[in-house]
Amino acid sequence: MRVLIQTYTGQQARVSWVGVFSDYFCVLNGVKQGGVLSPVLFCVYIDELLLKLSAAGVGCYMGSTFVGAIAYADDIVLICPTPSALRLLLKL
């Protein structure tokens, strides 16, 4: 746990565009791209989100199976029958 805390606390980054660098800024969320643990950490986070979306009771269903949030890698598609249902899922 200490290794994870040390790895993700106090990160700084800057943007390079056509040889010009931005000032450094703190990275406050996300996982390290290319990190060995990044997919696992992302799955832990995204699993909780998908469970909340499913429990919301809105979205599309095939029979009794919730298909209102389809996830693959780091992409999520929300499918809803009405704009108000979509807004509810987006708030989550």
Side-chain angles (χ1 to χ4, degrees), residues 11 40 44 70 82 92:
Q11 292 185 79
V40 174
V44 168
I70 300 172
T82 65
L92 293 175

Side-chain angles (χ1 to χ4, degrees), residues 27-91:
V27 178
L28 302 175
N29 57 19
V31 294
K32 293 181 176 284
Q33 185 166 348
V36 175
L37 281 179
S38 294
V40 174
L41 295 174
F42 180 77
C43 286
V44 168
Y45 169 79
I46 208 67
D47 187 54
E48 183 69 25
L49 175 60
L50 293 172
L51 290 172
K52 286 182 180 182
L53 293 170
S54 177
V58 298
C60 288
Y61 288 83
M62 291 181 78
S64 61
T65 303
F66 177 70
V67 293
I70 300 172
Y72 180 77
D74 62 350
D75 297 317
I76 300 174
V77 175
L78 299 178
I79 305 170
C80 295
T82 65
S84 61
L86 181 59
R87 282 191 289 274
L88 192 141
L89 292 184
L90 285 171
K91 285 181 184 179

Side-chain angles (χ1 to χ4, degrees), residues 2-15 23-35 37-38 41:
R2 288 182 182 164
V3 170
L4 286 176
I5 291 170
Q6 182 65 32
T7 301
Y8 284 96
T9 303
Q11 292 185 79
Q12 290 192 338
R14 66 181 178 170
V15 177
D23 293 334
Y24 282 97
F25 57 91
C26 292
V27 178
L28 302 175
N29 57 19
V31 294
K32 293 181 176 284
Q33 185 166 348
L37 281 179
S38 294
L41 295 174

